[in-house]
Amino acid sequence: NDVPLDYPINPDEEDWSKLFPTYFRPHTEEAQTGSDIKRPLSPSAADGAGSAESLAKRGPAATPTAALEQVPAQVEFADIGCGYGGLLVALAPLYPNTLMVGMEIRTKLVDYLQQRIEALRGFQQGLLLRKNVEWVDVRSKISQEIAALDQPAVEGEEDLHDNGETNRLVPGHYENIAAMRINCQKYLPNFFKKGQLSKMFILFADPHFKRRKHKARIISTTMLAEYAYVMRTGGIIYMITDVKDLYDWSVKRLDNFPLFERIPDEELKSDPAIPCVINSTEEGKKVARNKGQKYLACYRRIEDTFKD
Ligand code: SAM
């Protein structure tokens, strides 16, 4: 992680075309042509439940040429500490018109995920066989590199070869996901405007058990203030962990934070993102394999009614 972090001075400065070439024009090109950024086929509100049936009816996601109507493109989902990216791969076909970014501090994982997404994009363009070979190559090459690192997350490595139910690959659906290297504890408001995000995922975060390391926890009162800033009213934070102590810590802070309210478990049953949150990440699969407990809590960003 010695590579310096690259971040924009404010969200308008970020050139999203590097991550989502189907949806954004490069800043340089925009300046020359004066044209606006590309737009998704429809706002993410149109993304409903992703049942197999509705996926089949919907067919492939927006193509570059079809993608020029309605609202301006912007990232709406963020996976904080996305690791190997299993969540994004699972969500991509469920919300085909929503742009989602995985944010990860470890360079090796970001490189791996970017290549994984590139391979998936090739796969959707009909290069299935060739890309499948490359996909395997990319995986084993990166797995070896990751195995050589002295990092705890390496344990989940065999998961890379396991496409479980929620990680089923669906052609035509991977232009809307991307990975970026960022320290989420420092630069989130540099990338996202106030109220931009409708979903934020904090899945199996590092527990940082020692008291002096608690400040590195991804959920803290300070960080919740930033999350509340970048999230829109009605947006949802999904949090899941196998560490009861971390769960209790996080729930306590979320419960006490005035701009988030807990969503009752009953309400979550109809949320199509929930099975992915529980089952699709590499860490989540590892927990399941080890027959560990998973503790889930989701919170809605509520309106800020404070007036001076
Ligand atoms: N969410 C993934 C999953 O469920 O498989 C990964 C879980 S892993 C235990 C936690 C990840 O968060 C690690 O990959 C770690 O590098 C990343 N992370 C920790 N602190 C971070 C930070 N401040 N900014 C971005 N990523 C961070």
Side-chain angles (χ1 to χ4, degrees), residues 1 5 79-87 102-107 109-110 151-153 159 180-186 201-208 216-218 223 227 240 242 277 280-286:
N1 290 331
L5 286 157
D79 184 5
I80 308 287
C82 64
Y84 296 95
L87 178 79
M103 308 187 119
E104 173 52 58
I105 200 166
R106 288 163 60 192
T107 316
L109 296 192
V110 177
Q151 304 262 19
D159 289 342
M180 61 198 288
R181 179 153 182 264
I182 170 180
N183 181 347
C184 294
Q185 286 185 303
K186 288 193 178 163
F201 301 90
I202 302 174
L203 312 187
F204 302 98
D206 294 327
H208 296 297
R217 286 182 165 175
I218 287 289
M223 287 312 300
Y227 301 157
I240 191 167
D242 58 321
V277 165
S280 71
T281 73
E282 285 67 21
E283 198 62 28
K285 286 182 181 180
K286 191 168 88 185

Side-chain angles (χ1 to χ4, degrees), residues 4-18:
L5 286 157
D6 195 13
Y7 59 93
I9 200 116
N10 65 52
D12 286 331
E13 296 298 312
E14 177 65 2
D15 189 348
W16 290 103
S17 69
K18 291 182 191 139

Side-chain angles (χ1 to χ4, degrees), residues 1 24 47 78 84 90 139 145 188 201 205 225 236 252 270 306:
N1 290 331
F24 296 91
D47 284 344
Y84 296 95
R139 282 177 168 202
E145 283 176 19
L188 227 42
F201 301 90
I236 300 176
K252 189 169 164 193
S270 58
F306 180 79

Side-chain angles (χ1 to χ4, degrees), residues 137-197:
D137 284 344
V138 165
R139 282 177 168 202
S140 57
K141 182 170 157 281
I142 292 170
S143 302
Q144 282 162 16
E145 283 176 19
I146 290 170
L149 291 172
D150 185 23
Q151 304 262 19
V154 170
E155 291 163 42
E157 190 207 312
E158 70 269 31
D159 289 342
L160 303 178
H161 304 281
D162 163 27
N163 274 321
E165 179 62 15
T166 51
N167 281 17
R168 217 177 39 238
L169 302 182
V170 186
H173 288 284
Y174 302 98
E175 295 291 332
N176 59 336
I177 56 173
M180 61 198 288
R181 179 153 182 264
I182 170 180
N183 181 347
C184 294
Q185 286 185 303
K186 288 193 178 163
Y187 304 114
L188 227 42
N190 292 67
F191 289 92
F192 303 125
K193 295 180 183 170
K194 187 171 191 283
Q196 180 170 338
L197 299 180

